[in-house]
Amino acid sequence: VIGVVIGKTDVRSFPDRKNIGTERYTFNFTIRDSPTYFINVQSWGREEYIRSLSESFRVGDCVTIENPLIQSKEAEREEKFNPVTPSGYKLLLSENHSVVKTSSCYNTDTRLLALLHLPVKDPQDYYSLGDIVANGQSLNGRVLNVLAAVMAVSE
């Protein structure tokens, strides 16, 4: 699978239920290879492997993923922490079987660069900040997708 990385989480650790007293490490990222399709990728393993893999690329890089495991996603649980994707699947990376190679999008396919700036949500599924200000009370307690732009950053 070849795609551009459009999102990435930080490395996290969890107690290993199989080996009490040790920890397993994980991080997730999302790749896109067309305007319509993108998929979440999950990686679990030893700290050295996960940190090295996470540091090997960043958002905007093109990656080639070889030998991932394809799994059905548990939409309700997984989409709390990852982008909602149009696929019913996710890719799982294994330290022993999977390989992630990075390359310049210019070397791979310049069309992938344009995908980096496309929204992952339906354009009809956004609220503008003006809508929220005008209808704030009726939207109280609802989860909303917001479309906004940063105009300035300062202290």
Side-chain angles (χ1 to χ4, degrees), residues 61-96:
D61 286 347
C62 288
V63 295
T64 301
I65 300 173
E66 298 175 0
N67 296 325
L69 179 64
I70 300 169
Q71 286 187 330
S72 296
K73 67 181 176 185
E74 299 170 43
E76 197 170 294
R77 188 179 73 146
E78 292 178 25
E79 291 181 347
K80 281 184 188 176
F81 307 106
N82 295 303
V84 176
T85 62
S87 171
Y89 301 96
K90 66 179 179 182
L91 301 180
L92 185 62
L93 300 182
S94 157
E95 182 172 359
N96 296 325

Side-chain angles (χ1 to χ4, degrees), residues 6 30-32 36-40 73-89 119-122 125 143 145:
I6 61 170
T30 305
I31 63 169
R32 186 176 217 160
T36 310
Y37 296 105
F38 48 98
I39 193 164
N40 292 320
K73 67 181 176 185
E74 299 170 43
E76 197 170 294
R77 188 179 73 146
E78 292 178 25
E79 291 181 347
K80 281 184 188 176
F81 307 106
N82 295 303
V84 176
T85 62
S87 171
Y89 301 96
V120 294
K121 290 284 190 178
D122 176 354
D125 191 23
V143 176
N145 295 316

Side-chain angles (χ1 to χ4, degrees), residues 6-155:
I6 61 170
K8 183 177 164 191
T9 67
D10 292 329
V11 172
R12 300 181 317 269
S13 66
F14 297 93
D16 190 337
R17 289 181 285 193
K18 294 180 185 173
N19 300 313
I20 305 302
T22 63
E23 296 198 345
R24 292 182 69 200
Y25 287 77
T26 185
F27 83 102
N28 300 333
F29 59 101
T30 305
I31 63 169
R32 186 176 217 160
D33 67 357
S34 74
T36 310
Y37 296 105
F38 48 98
I39 193 164
N40 292 320
V41 183
Q42 187 173 47
S43 184
W44 287 90
R46 297 177 305 111
E47 180 177 12
E48 300 79 22
Y49 167 71
I50 295 299
R51 289 200 186 281
S52 173
L53 181 60
S54 175
E55 292 168 4
S56 71
F57 62 87
R58 60 181 195 250
V59 171
D61 286 347
C62 288
V63 295
T64 301
I65 300 173
E66 298 175 0
N67 296 325
L69 179 64
I70 300 169
Q71 286 187 330
S72 296
K73 67 181 176 185
E74 299 170 43
E76 197 170 294
R77 188 179 73 146
E78 292 178 25
E79 291 181 347
K80 281 184 188 176
F81 307 106
N82 295 303
V84 176
T85 62
S87 171
Y89 301 96
K90 66 179 179 182
L91 301 180
L92 185 62
L93 300 182
S94 157
E95 182 172 359
N96 296 325
H97 299 99
S98 306
V99 176
V100 177
K101 298 176 184 174
T102 60
S103 63
S104 163
C105 287
Y106 290 110
N107 295 341
T108 308
D109 188 341
T110 54
R111 291 175 295 185
L112 290 175
L113 280 177
L115 302 176
L116 191 57
H117 304 290
L118 292 178
V120 294
K121 290 284 190 178
D122 176 354
Q124 305 306 312
D125 191 23
Y126 288 110
Y127 283 83
S128 70
L129 295 177
D131 292 339
I132 294 169
V133 169
N135 302 303
Q137 289 292 58
S138 64
L139 300 173
N140 190 20
R142 293 186 50 204
V143 176
L144 306 174
N145 295 316
V146 178
L147 180 60
V150 176
M151 290 177 48
V153 177
S154 63
E155 290 184 22

